[in-house]
mmCIF file with all atom_site columns, all heavy atoms in Angstrom:
data_model
loop_
_atom_site.group_PDB
_atom_site.id
_atom_site.type_symbol
_atom_site.label_atom_id
_atom_site.label_alt_id
_atom_site.label_comp_id
_atom_site.label_asym_id
_atom_site.label_entity_id
_atom_site.label_seq_id
_atom_site.pdbx_PDB_ins_code
_atom_site.Cartn_x
_atom_site.Cartn_y
_atom_site.Cartn_z
_atom_site.occupancy
_atom_site.B_iso_or_equiv
_atom_site.pdbx_formal_charge
_atom_site.auth_seq_id
_atom_site.auth_comp_id
_atom_site.auth_asym_id
_atom_site.auth_atom_id
_atom_site.pdbx_PDB_model_num
ATOM 1   N N   . VAL O 1 272 ? -13.300 5.032  34.176 1.00 0.00 ? 272 VAL O N   1
ATOM 2   C CA  . VAL O 1 272 ? -13.286 3.568  34.194 1.00 0.00 ? 272 VAL O CA  1
ATOM 3   C C   . VAL O 1 272 ? -13.165 3.098  32.750 1.00 0.00 ? 272 VAL O C   1
ATOM 4   O O   . VAL O 1 272 ? -14.031 3.404  31.921 1.00 0.00 ? 272 VAL O O   1
ATOM 5   C CB  . VAL O 1 272 ? -14.556 3.006  34.841 1.00 0.00 ? 272 VAL O CB  1
ATOM 6   C CG1 . VAL O 1 272 ? -14.565 1.477  34.765 1.00 0.00 ? 272 VAL O CG1 1
ATOM 7   C CG2 . VAL O 1 272 ? -14.669 3.478  36.293 1.00 0.00 ? 272 VAL O CG2 1
ATOM 8   N N   . GLN O 1 317 ? -20.736 -3.066 23.400 1.00 0.00 ? 317 GLN O N   1
ATOM 9   C CA  . GLN O 1 317 ? -21.465 -3.333 24.641 1.00 0.00 ? 317 GLN O CA  1
ATOM 10  C C   . GLN O 1 317 ? -20.907 -2.535 25.803 1.00 0.00 ? 317 GLN O C   1
ATOM 11  O O   . GLN O 1 317 ? -21.654 -2.012 26.628 1.00 0.00 ? 317 GLN O O   1
ATOM 12  C CB  . GLN O 1 317 ? -21.408 -4.829 24.963 1.00 0.00 ? 317 GLN O CB  1
ATOM 13  C CG  . GLN O 1 317 ? -22.286 -5.221 26.139 1.00 0.00 ? 317 GLN O CG  1
ATOM 14  C CD  . GLN O 1 317 ? -23.754 -4.891 25.902 1.00 0.00 ? 317 GLN O CD  1
ATOM 15  O OE1 . GLN O 1 317 ? -24.337 -5.282 24.886 1.00 0.00 ? 317 GLN O OE1 1
ATOM 16  N NE2 . GLN O 1 317 ? -24.374 -4.160 26.837 1.00 0.00 ? 317 GLN O NE2 1
ATOM 17  N N   . TYR O 1 318 ? -19.581 -2.417 25.871 1.00 0.00 ? 318 TYR O N   1
ATOM 18  C CA  . TYR O 1 318 ? -18.977 -1.649 26.960 1.00 0.00 ? 318 TYR O CA  1
ATOM 19  C C   . TYR O 1 318 ? -19.331 -0.167 26.867 1.00 0.00 ? 318 TYR O C   1
ATOM 20  O O   . TYR O 1 318 ? -19.486 0.506  27.894 1.00 0.00 ? 318 TYR O O   1
ATOM 21  C CB  . TYR O 1 318 ? -17.462 -1.847 26.971 1.00 0.00 ? 318 TYR O CB  1
ATOM 22  C CG  . TYR O 1 318 ? -17.049 -3.255 27.344 1.00 0.00 ? 318 TYR O CG  1
ATOM 23  C CD1 . TYR O 1 318 ? -15.901 -3.837 26.821 1.00 0.00 ? 318 TYR O CD1 1
ATOM 24  C CD2 . TYR O 1 318 ? -17.825 -4.018 28.219 1.00 0.00 ? 318 TYR O CD2 1
ATOM 25  C CE1 . TYR O 1 318 ? -15.531 -5.129 27.159 1.00 0.00 ? 318 TYR O CE1 1
ATOM 26  C CE2 . TYR O 1 318 ? -17.463 -5.311 28.559 1.00 0.00 ? 318 TYR O CE2 1
ATOM 27  C CZ  . TYR O 1 318 ? -16.320 -5.861 28.037 1.00 0.00 ? 318 TYR O CZ  1
ATOM 28  O OH  . TYR O 1 318 ? -15.964 -7.139 28.372 1.00 0.00 ? 318 TYR O OH  1
ATOM 29  N N   . TYR O 1 319 ? -19.469 0.328  25.649 1.00 0.00 ? 319 TYR O N   1
ATOM 30  C CA  . TYR O 1 319 ? -19.915 1.718  25.460 1.00 0.00 ? 319 TYR O CA  1
ATOM 31  C C   . TYR O 1 319 ? -21.330 1.880  26.014 1.00 0.00 ? 319 TYR O C   1
ATOM 32  O O   . TYR O 1 319 ? -21.619 2.821  26.768 1.00 0.00 ? 319 TYR O O   1
ATOM 33  C CB  . TYR O 1 319 ? -19.870 2.078  23.977 1.00 0.00 ? 319 TYR O CB  1
ATOM 34  C CG  . TYR O 1 319 ? -20.652 3.325  23.615 1.00 0.00 ? 319 TYR O CG  1
ATOM 35  C CD1 . TYR O 1 319 ? -20.321 4.559  24.162 1.00 0.00 ? 319 TYR O CD1 1
ATOM 36  C CD2 . TYR O 1 319 ? -21.733 3.260  22.736 1.00 0.00 ? 319 TYR O CD2 1
ATOM 37  C CE1 . TYR O 1 319 ? -21.039 5.703  23.843 1.00 0.00 ? 319 TYR O CE1 1
ATOM 38  C CE2 . TYR O 1 319 ? -22.461 4.396  22.408 1.00 0.00 ? 319 TYR O CE2 1
ATOM 39  C CZ  . TYR O 1 319 ? -22.113 5.613  22.966 1.00 0.00 ? 319 TYR O CZ  1
ATOM 40  O OH  . TYR O 1 319 ? -22.824 6.735  22.651 1.00 0.00 ? 319 TYR O OH  1
ATOM 41  N N   . ILE O 1 320 ? -22.206 0.933  25.696 1.00 0.00 ? 320 ILE O N   1
ATOM 42  C CA  . ILE O 1 320 ? -23.586 0.974  26.196 1.00 0.00 ? 320 ILE O CA  1
ATOM 43  C C   . ILE O 1 320 ? -23.611 0.852  27.719 1.00 0.00 ? 320 ILE O C   1
ATOM 44  O O   . ILE O 1 320 ? -24.388 1.511  28.412 1.00 0.00 ? 320 ILE O O   1
ATOM 45  C CB  . ILE O 1 320 ? -24.417 -0.154 25.550 1.00 0.00 ? 320 ILE O CB  1
ATOM 46  C CG1 . ILE O 1 320 ? -24.563 0.102  24.043 1.00 0.00 ? 320 ILE O CG1 1
ATOM 47  C CG2 . ILE O 1 320 ? -25.787 -0.277 26.199 1.00 0.00 ? 320 ILE O CG2 1
ATOM 48  C CD1 . ILE O 1 320 ? -25.159 -1.067 23.281 1.00 0.00 ? 320 ILE O CD1 1
ATOM 49  N N   . ASP O 1 321 ? -22.705 0.048  28.249 1.00 0.00 ? 321 ASP O N   1
ATOM 50  C CA  . ASP O 1 321 ? -22.661 -0.198 29.691 1.00 0.00 ? 321 ASP O CA  1
ATOM 51  C C   . ASP O 1 321 ? -22.091 0.982  30.486 1.00 0.00 ? 321 ASP O C   1
ATOM 52  O O   . ASP O 1 321 ? -22.181 0.975  31.722 1.00 0.00 ? 321 ASP O O   1
ATOM 53  C CB  . ASP O 1 321 ? -21.818 -1.439 29.979 1.00 0.00 ? 321 ASP O CB  1
ATOM 54  C CG  . ASP O 1 321 ? -22.481 -2.724 29.487 1.00 0.00 ? 321 ASP O CG  1
ATOM 55  O OD1 . ASP O 1 321 ? -23.692 -2.689 29.187 1.00 0.00 ? 321 ASP O OD1 1
ATOM 56  O OD2 . ASP O 1 321 ? -21.782 -3.753 29.399 1.00 0.00 ? 321 ASP O OD2 1
ATOM 57  N N   . GLY O 1 322 ? -21.458 1.935  29.803 1.00 0.00 ? 322 GLY O N   1
ATOM 58  C CA  . GLY O 1 322 ? -20.980 3.125  30.497 1.00 0.00 ? 322 GLY O CA  1
ATOM 59  C C   . GLY O 1 322 ? -19.490 3.263  30.613 1.00 0.00 ? 322 GLY O C   1
ATOM 60  O O   . GLY O 1 322 ? -19.002 4.096  31.393 1.00 0.00 ? 322 GLY O O   1
ATOM 61  N N   . ALA O 1 323 ? -18.710 2.465  29.867 1.00 0.00 ? 323 ALA O N   1
ATOM 62  C CA  . ALA O 1 323 ? -17.258 2.641  29.883 1.00 0.00 ? 323 ALA O CA  1
ATOM 63  C C   . ALA O 1 323 ? -16.909 4.044  29.416 1.00 0.00 ? 323 ALA O C   1
ATOM 64  O O   . ALA O 1 323 ? -17.487 4.560  28.463 1.00 0.00 ? 323 ALA O O   1
ATOM 65  C CB  . ALA O 1 323 ? -16.589 1.614  28.971 1.00 0.00 ? 323 ALA O CB  1
ATOM 66  N N   . ASP O 1 324 ? -15.936 4.650  30.101 1.00 0.00 ? 324 ASP O N   1
ATOM 67  C CA  . ASP O 1 324 ? -15.533 6.012  29.760 1.00 0.00 ? 324 ASP O CA  1
ATOM 68  C C   . ASP O 1 324 ? -14.570 6.043  28.585 1.00 0.00 ? 324 ASP O C   1
ATOM 69  O O   . ASP O 1 324 ? -14.421 7.063  27.915 1.00 0.00 ? 324 ASP O O   1
ATOM 70  C CB  . ASP O 1 324 ? -14.883 6.690  30.971 1.00 0.00 ? 324 ASP O CB  1
ATOM 71  C CG  . ASP O 1 324 ? -15.856 6.812  32.131 1.00 0.00 ? 324 ASP O CG  1
ATOM 72  O OD1 . ASP O 1 324 ? -16.991 7.263  31.899 1.00 0.00 ? 324 ASP O OD1 1
ATOM 73  O OD2 . ASP O 1 324 ? -15.478 6.453  33.262 1.00 0.00 ? 324 ASP O OD2 1
ATOM 74  N N   . VAL O 1 506 ? -15.081 -4.430 42.887 1.00 0.00 ? 506 VAL O N   1
ATOM 75  C CA  . VAL O 1 506 ? -15.386 -3.001 42.794 1.00 0.00 ? 506 VAL O CA  1
ATOM 76  C C   . VAL O 1 506 ? -14.542 -2.205 43.780 1.00 0.00 ? 506 VAL O C   1
ATOM 77  O O   . VAL O 1 506 ? -14.149 -1.061 43.519 1.00 0.00 ? 506 VAL O O   1
ATOM 78  C CB  . VAL O 1 506 ? -16.886 -2.726 43.025 1.00 0.00 ? 506 VAL O CB  1
ATOM 79  C CG1 . VAL O 1 506 ? -17.724 -3.323 41.904 1.00 0.00 ? 506 VAL O CG1 1
ATOM 80  C CG2 . VAL O 1 506 ? -17.351 -3.244 44.384 1.00 0.00 ? 506 VAL O CG2 1
ATOM 81  N N   . PHE O 1 509 ? -11.227 -0.510 42.672 1.00 0.00 ? 509 PHE O N   1
ATOM 82  C CA  . PHE O 1 509 ? -11.276 0.763  41.959 1.00 0.00 ? 509 PHE O CA  1
ATOM 83  C C   . PHE O 1 509 ? -11.277 1.932  42.944 1.00 0.00 ? 509 PHE O C   1
ATOM 84  O O   . PHE O 1 509 ? -10.534 2.903  42.779 1.00 0.00 ? 509 PHE O O   1
ATOM 85  C CB  . PHE O 1 509 ? -12.508 0.825  41.050 1.00 0.00 ? 509 PHE O CB  1
ATOM 86  C CG  . PHE O 1 509 ? -12.434 -0.088 39.867 1.00 0.00 ? 509 PHE O CG  1
ATOM 87  C CD1 . PHE O 1 509 ? -12.803 -1.422 39.971 1.00 0.00 ? 509 PHE O CD1 1
ATOM 88  C CD2 . PHE O 1 509 ? -11.969 0.369  38.640 1.00 0.00 ? 509 PHE O CD2 1
ATOM 89  C CE1 . PHE O 1 509 ? -12.724 -2.274 38.884 1.00 0.00 ? 509 PHE O CE1 1
ATOM 90  C CE2 . PHE O 1 509 ? -11.888 -0.475 37.546 1.00 0.00 ? 509 PHE O CE2 1
ATOM 91  C CZ  . PHE O 1 509 ? -12.265 -1.809 37.671 1.00 0.00 ? 509 PHE O CZ  1
ATOM 92  N N   . PHE O 1 527 ? -14.616 -7.718 33.287 1.00 0.00 ? 527 PHE O N   1
ATOM 93  C CA  . PHE O 1 527 ? -15.695 -7.247 32.424 1.00 0.00 ? 527 PHE O CA  1
ATOM 94  C C   . PHE O 1 527 ? -16.033 -8.311 31.376 1.00 0.00 ? 527 PHE O C   1
ATOM 95  O O   . PHE O 1 527 ? -17.206 -8.615 31.147 1.00 0.00 ? 527 PHE O O   1
ATOM 96  C CB  . PHE O 1 527 ? -15.310 -5.939 31.737 1.00 0.00 ? 527 PHE O CB  1
ATOM 97  C CG  . PHE O 1 527 ? -15.077 -4.777 32.670 1.00 0.00 ? 527 PHE O CG  1
ATOM 98  C CD1 . PHE O 1 527 ? -14.235 -3.740 32.321 1.00 0.00 ? 527 PHE O CD1 1
ATOM 99  C CD2 . PHE O 1 527 ? -15.715 -4.714 33.903 1.00 0.00 ? 527 PHE O CD2 1
ATOM 100 C CE1 . PHE O 1 527 ? -14.017 -2.662 33.160 1.00 0.00 ? 527 PHE O CE1 1
ATOM 101 C CE2 . PHE O 1 527 ? -15.514 -3.646 34.768 1.00 0.00 ? 527 PHE O CE2 1
ATOM 102 C CZ  . PHE O 1 527 ? -14.655 -2.613 34.392 1.00 0.00 ? 527 PHE O CZ  1
ATOM 103 N N   . VAL O 1 532 ? -17.855 -8.680 37.137 1.00 0.00 ? 532 VAL O N   1
ATOM 104 C CA  . VAL O 1 532 ? -18.161 -7.358 37.689 1.00 0.00 ? 532 VAL O CA  1
ATOM 105 C C   . VAL O 1 532 ? -18.594 -6.449 36.544 1.00 0.00 ? 532 VAL O C   1
ATOM 106 O O   . VAL O 1 532 ? -17.780 -6.138 35.673 1.00 0.00 ? 532 VAL O O   1
ATOM 107 C CB  . VAL O 1 532 ? -16.946 -6.742 38.400 1.00 0.00 ? 532 VAL O CB  1
ATOM 108 C CG1 . VAL O 1 532 ? -17.292 -5.345 38.918 1.00 0.00 ? 532 VAL O CG1 1
ATOM 109 C CG2 . VAL O 1 532 ? -16.468 -7.629 39.542 1.00 0.00 ? 532 VAL O CG2 1
ATOM 110 N N   . PRO O 1 533 ? -19.854 -6.020 36.485 1.00 0.00 ? 533 PRO O N   1
ATOM 111 C CA  . PRO O 1 533 ? -20.270 -5.107 35.408 1.00 0.00 ? 533 PRO O CA  1
ATOM 112 C C   . PRO O 1 533 ? -19.752 -3.698 35.636 1.00 0.00 ? 533 PRO O C   1
ATOM 113 O O   . PRO O 1 533 ? -19.504 -3.286 36.776 1.00 0.00 ? 533 PRO O O   1
ATOM 114 C CB  . PRO O 1 533 ? -21.799 -5.158 35.466 1.00 0.00 ? 533 PRO O CB  1
ATOM 115 C CG  . PRO O 1 533 ? -22.119 -5.575 36.857 1.00 0.00 ? 533 PRO O CG  1
ATOM 116 C CD  . PRO O 1 533 ? -20.976 -6.437 37.344 1.00 0.00 ? 533 PRO O CD  1
ATOM 117 N N   . ILE O 1 534 ? -19.592 -2.963 34.567 1.00 0.00 ? 534 ILE O N   1
ATOM 118 C CA  . ILE O 1 534 ? -19.117 -1.581 34.654 1.00 0.00 ? 534 ILE O CA  1
ATOM 119 C C   . ILE O 1 534 ? -20.060 -0.742 35.513 1.00 0.00 ? 534 ILE O C   1
ATOM 120 O O   . ILE O 1 534 ? -19.620 0.096  36.314 1.00 0.00 ? 534 ILE O O   1
ATOM 121 C CB  . ILE O 1 534 ? -18.968 -0.982 33.247 1.00 0.00 ? 534 ILE O CB  1
ATOM 122 C CG1 . ILE O 1 534 ? -17.835 -1.694 32.493 1.00 0.00 ? 534 ILE O CG1 1
ATOM 123 C CG2 . ILE O 1 534 ? -18.700 0.523  33.313 1.00 0.00 ? 534 ILE O CG2 1
ATOM 124 C CD1 . ILE O 1 534 ? -17.727 -1.321 31.033 1.00 0.00 ? 534 ILE O CD1 1
ATOM 125 N N   . SER O 1 535 ? -21.361 -0.975 35.388 1.00 0.00 ? 535 SER O N   1
ATOM 126 C CA  . SER O 1 535 ? -22.336 -0.213 36.171 1.00 0.00 ? 535 SER O CA  1
ATOM 127 C C   . SER O 1 535 ? -22.128 -0.406 37.672 1.00 0.00 ? 535 SER O C   1
ATOM 128 O O   . SER O 1 535 ? -22.293 0.532  38.469 1.00 0.00 ? 535 SER O O   1
ATOM 129 C CB  . SER O 1 535 ? -23.759 -0.614 35.779 1.00 0.00 ? 535 SER O CB  1
ATOM 130 O OG  . SER O 1 535 ? -23.972 -2.008 36.025 1.00 0.00 ? 535 SER O OG  1
ATOM 131 N N   . ALA O 1 536 ? -21.741 -1.625 38.081 1.00 0.00 ? 536 ALA O N   1
ATOM 132 C CA  . ALA O 1 536 ? -21.494 -1.885 39.503 1.00 0.00 ? 536 ALA O CA  1
ATOM 133 C C   . ALA O 1 536 ? -20.284 -1.112 39.996 1.00 0.00 ? 536 ALA O C   1
ATOM 134 O O   . ALA O 1 536 ? -20.262 -0.622 41.140 1.00 0.00 ? 536 ALA O O   1
ATOM 135 C CB  . ALA O 1 536 ? -21.303 -3.387 39.727 1.00 0.00 ? 536 ALA O CB  1
ATOM 136 N N   . VAL O 1 537 ? -19.254 -1.006 39.145 1.00 0.00 ? 537 VAL O N   1
ATOM 137 C CA  . VAL O 1 537 ? -18.071 -0.225 39.500 1.00 0.00 ? 537 VAL O CA  1
ATOM 138 C C   . VAL O 1 537 ? -18.452 1.236  39.699 1.00 0.00 ? 537 VAL O C   1
ATOM 139 O O   . VAL O 1 537 ? -18.065 1.878  40.699 1.00 0.00 ? 537 VAL O O   1
ATOM 140 C CB  . VAL O 1 537 ? -16.981 -0.348 38.410 1.00 0.00 ? 537 VAL O CB  1
ATOM 141 C CG1 . VAL O 1 537 ? -15.806 0.568  38.729 1.00 0.00 ? 537 VAL O CG1 1
ATOM 142 C CG2 . VAL O 1 537 ? -16.511 -1.787 38.288 1.00 0.00 ? 537 VAL O CG2 1
ATOM 143 N N   . LYS O 1 538 ? -19.240 1.780  38.767 1.00 0.00 ? 538 LYS O N   1
ATOM 144 C CA  . LYS O 1 538 ? -19.638 3.182  38.856 1.00 0.00 ? 538 LYS O CA  1
ATOM 145 C C   . LYS O 1 538 ? -20.497 3.429  40.107 1.00 0.00 ? 538 LYS O C   1
ATOM 146 O O   . LYS O 1 538 ? -20.318 4.419  40.830 1.00 0.00 ? 538 LYS O O   1
ATOM 147 C CB  . LYS O 1 538 ? -20.420 3.590  37.599 1.00 0.00 ? 538 LYS O CB  1
ATOM 148 C CG  . LYS O 1 538 ? -19.612 3.582  36.284 1.00 0.00 ? 538 LYS O CG  1
ATOM 149 C CD  . LYS O 1 538 ? -18.701 4.782  36.201 1.00 0.00 ? 538 LYS O CD  1
ATOM 150 C CE  . LYS O 1 538 ? -18.044 4.914  34.844 1.00 0.00 ? 538 LYS O CE  1
ATOM 151 N NZ  . LYS O 1 538 ? -18.863 5.552  33.819 1.00 0.00 ? 538 LYS O NZ  1
ATOM 152 N N   . GLU O 1 539 ? -21.439 2.535  40.389 1.00 0.00 ? 539 GLU O N   1
ATOM 153 C CA  . GLU O 1 539 ? -22.303 2.696  41.558 1.00 0.00 ? 539 GLU O CA  1
ATOM 154 C C   . GLU O 1 539 ? -21.487 2.667  42.855 1.00 0.00 ? 539 GLU O C   1
ATOM 155 O O   . GLU O 1 539 ? -21.726 3.449  43.775 1.00 0.00 ? 539 GLU O O   1
ATOM 156 C CB  . GLU O 1 539 ? -23.367 1.589  41.564 1.00 0.00 ? 539 GLU O CB  1
ATOM 157 C CG  . GLU O 1 539 ? -24.422 1.751  40.476 1.00 0.00 ? 539 GLU O CG  1
ATOM 158 C CD  . GLU O 1 539 ? -25.258 0.500  40.287 1.00 0.00 ? 539 GLU O CD  1
ATOM 159 O OE1 . GLU O 1 539 ? -25.085 -0.459 41.096 1.00 0.00 ? 539 GLU O OE1 1
ATOM 160 O OE2 . GLU O 1 539 ? -26.085 0.467  39.365 1.00 0.00 ? 539 GLU O OE2 1
ATOM 161 N N   . HIS O 1 540 ? -20.525 1.760  42.917 1.00 0.00 ? 540 HIS O N   1
ATOM 162 C CA  . HIS O 1 540 ? -19.673 1.679  44.100 1.00 0.00 ? 540 HIS O CA  1
ATOM 163 C C   . HIS O 1 540 ? -18.863 2.950  44.284 1.00 0.00 ? 540 HIS O C   1
ATOM 164 O O   . HIS O 1 540 ? -18.731 3.458  45.405 1.00 0.00 ? 540 HIS O O   1
ATOM 165 C CB  . HIS O 1 540 ? -18.738 0.473  43.987 1.00 0.00 ? 540 HIS O CB  1
ATOM 166 C CG  . HIS O 1 540 ? -17.669 0.450  45.030 1.00 0.00 ? 540 HIS O CG  1
ATOM 167 N ND1 . HIS O 1 540 ? -17.910 0.089  46.342 1.00 0.00 ? 540 HIS O ND1 1
ATOM 168 C CD2 . HIS O 1 540 ? -16.342 0.777  44.974 1.00 0.00 ? 540 HIS O CD2 1
ATOM 169 C CE1 . HIS O 1 540 ? -16.795 0.190  47.047 1.00 0.00 ? 540 HIS O CE1 1
ATOM 170 N NE2 . HIS O 1 540 ? -15.827 0.599  46.245 1.00 0.00 ? 540 HIS O NE2 1
ATOM 171 N N   . LEU O 1 541 ? -18.321 3.469  43.195 1.00 0.00 ? 541 LEU O N   1
ATOM 172 C CA  . LEU O 1 541 ? -17.512 4.683  43.277 1.00 0.00 ? 541 LEU O CA  1
ATOM 173 C C   . LEU O 1 541 ? -18.357 5.872  43.722 1.00 0.00 ? 541 LEU O C   1
ATOM 174 O O   . LEU O 1 541 ? -17.891 6.719  44.517 1.00 0.00 ? 541 LEU O O   1
ATOM 175 C CB  . LEU O 1 541 ? -16.845 4.964  41.931 1.00 0.00 ? 541 LEU O CB  1
ATOM 176 C CG  . LEU O 1 541 ? -15.734 3.979  41.534 1.00 0.00 ? 541 LEU O CG  1
ATOM 177 C CD1 . LEU O 1 541 ? -15.265 4.243  40.097 1.00 0.00 ? 541 LEU O CD1 1
ATOM 178 C CD2 . LEU O 1 541 ? -14.554 4.089  42.503 1.00 0.00 ? 541 LEU O CD2 1
ATOM 179 N N   . VAL O 1 542 ? -19.587 5.966  43.248 1.00 0.00 ? 542 VAL O N   1
ATOM 180 C CA  . VAL O 1 542 ? -20.490 7.023  43.687 1.00 0.00 ? 542 VAL O CA  1
ATOM 181 C C   . VAL O 1 542 ? -20.720 6.923  45.194 1.00 0.00 ? 542 VAL O C   1
ATOM 182 O O   . VAL O 1 542 ? -20.635 7.909  45.942 1.00 0.00 ? 542 VAL O O   1
ATOM 183 C CB  . VAL O 1 542 ? -21.826 6.966  42.933 1.00 0.00 ? 542 VAL O CB  1
ATOM 184 C CG1 . VAL O 1 542 ? -22.859 7.895  43.584 1.00 0.00 ? 542 VAL O CG1 1
ATOM 185 C CG2 . VAL O 1 542 ? -21.630 7.366  41.468 1.00 0.00 ? 542 VAL O CG2 1
ATOM 186 N N   . ASP O 1 543 ? -20.983 5.720  45.671 1.00 0.00 ? 543 ASP O N   1
ATOM 187 C CA  . ASP O 1 543 ? -21.201 5.494  47.098 1.00 0.00 ? 543 ASP O CA  1
ATOM 188 C C   . ASP O 1 543 ? -19.955 5.837  47.917 1.00 0.00 ? 543 ASP O C   1
ATOM 189 O O   . ASP O 1 543 ? -20.054 6.263  49.078 1.00 0.00 ? 543 ASP O O   1
ATOM 190 C CB  . ASP O 1 543 ? -21.593 4.044  47.346 1.00 0.00 ? 543 ASP O CB  1
ATOM 191 C CG  . ASP O 1 543 ? -22.983 3.717  46.813 1.00 0.00 ? 543 ASP O CG  1
ATOM 192 O OD1 . ASP O 1 543 ? -23.766 4.664  46.593 1.00 0.00 ? 543 ASP O OD1 1
ATOM 193 O OD2 . ASP O 1 543 ? -23.272 2.524  46.625 1.00 0.00 ? 543 ASP O OD2 1
ATOM 194 N N   . VAL O 1 548 ? -17.641 10.285 39.247 1.00 0.00 ? 548 VAL O N   1
ATOM 195 C CA  . VAL O 1 548 ? -17.607 9.492  38.020 1.00 0.00 ? 548 VAL O CA  1
ATOM 196 C C   . VAL O 1 548 ? -18.716 9.960  37.086 1.00 0.00 ? 548 VAL O C   1
ATOM 197 O O   . VAL O 1 548 ? -19.659 10.630 37.505 1.00 0.00 ? 548 VAL O O   1
ATOM 198 C CB  . VAL O 1 548 ? -17.790 7.975  38.293 1.00 0.00 ? 548 VAL O CB  1
ATOM 199 C CG1 . VAL O 1 548 ? -16.598 7.398  39.031 1.00 0.00 ? 548 VAL O CG1 1
ATOM 200 C CG2 . VAL O 1 548 ? -19.091 7.698  39.037 1.00 0.00 ? 548 VAL O CG2 1
ATOM 201 N N   . ARG O 1 549 ? -18.590 9.583  35.835 1.00 0.00 ? 549 ARG O N   1
ATOM 202 C CA  . ARG O 1 549 ? -19.640 9.866  34.848 1.00 0.00 ? 549 ARG O CA  1
ATOM 203 C C   . ARG O 1 549 ? -20.687 8.769  34.956 1.00 0.00 ? 549 ARG O C   1
ATOM 204 O O   . ARG O 1 549 ? -20.370 7.576  34.876 1.00 0.00 ? 549 ARG O O   1
ATOM 205 C CB  . ARG O 1 549 ? -19.049 9.883  33.438 1.00 0.00 ? 549 ARG O CB  1
ATOM 206 C CG  . ARG O 1 549 ? -20.061 10.143 32.334 1.00 0.00 ? 549 ARG O CG  1
ATOM 207 C CD  . ARG O 1 549 ? -19.419 10.060 30.973 1.00 0.00 ? 549 ARG O CD  1
ATOM 208 N NE  . ARG O 1 549 ? -19.046 8.705  30.601 1.00 0.00 ? 549 ARG O NE  1
ATOM 209 C CZ  . ARG O 1 549 ? -19.686 7.949  29.706 1.00 0.00 ? 549 ARG O CZ  1
ATOM 210 N NH1 . ARG O 1 549 ? -20.768 8.414  29.098 1.00 0.00 ? 549 ARG O NH1 1
ATOM 211 N NH2 . ARG O 1 549 ? -19.268 6.734  29.417 1.00 0.00 ? 549 ARG O NH2 1
ATOM 212 N N   . VAL O 1 550 ? -21.926 9.151  35.166 1.00 0.00 ? 550 VAL O N   1
ATOM 213 C CA  . VAL O 1 550 ? -23.004 8.172  35.273 1.00 0.00 ? 550 VAL O CA  1
ATOM 214 C C   . VAL O 1 550 ? -24.119 8.538  34.322 1.00 0.00 ? 550 VAL O C   1
ATOM 215 O O   . VAL O 1 550 ? -24.193 9.657  33.855 1.00 0.00 ? 550 VAL O O   1
ATOM 216 C CB  . VAL O 1 550 ? -23.567 8.086  36.709 1.00 0.00 ? 550 VAL O CB  1
ATOM 217 C CG1 . VAL O 1 550 ? -22.501 7.554  37.642 1.00 0.00 ? 550 VAL O CG1 1
ATOM 218 C CG2 . VAL O 1 550 ? -24.065 9.444  37.182 1.00 0.00 ? 550 VAL O CG2 1
#
Side-chain angles (χ1 to χ4, degrees):
V272 176
Q317 187 59 53
Y318 292 148
Y319 164 61
I320 294 170
D321 291 345
D324 298 312
V506 294
F509 290 84
F527 297 153
V532 178
I534 293 172
S535 60
V537 175
K538 294 284 188 82
E539 289 166 6
H540 170 76
L541 290 173
V542 169
D543 291 341
V548 292
R549 179 184 71 106
V550 295

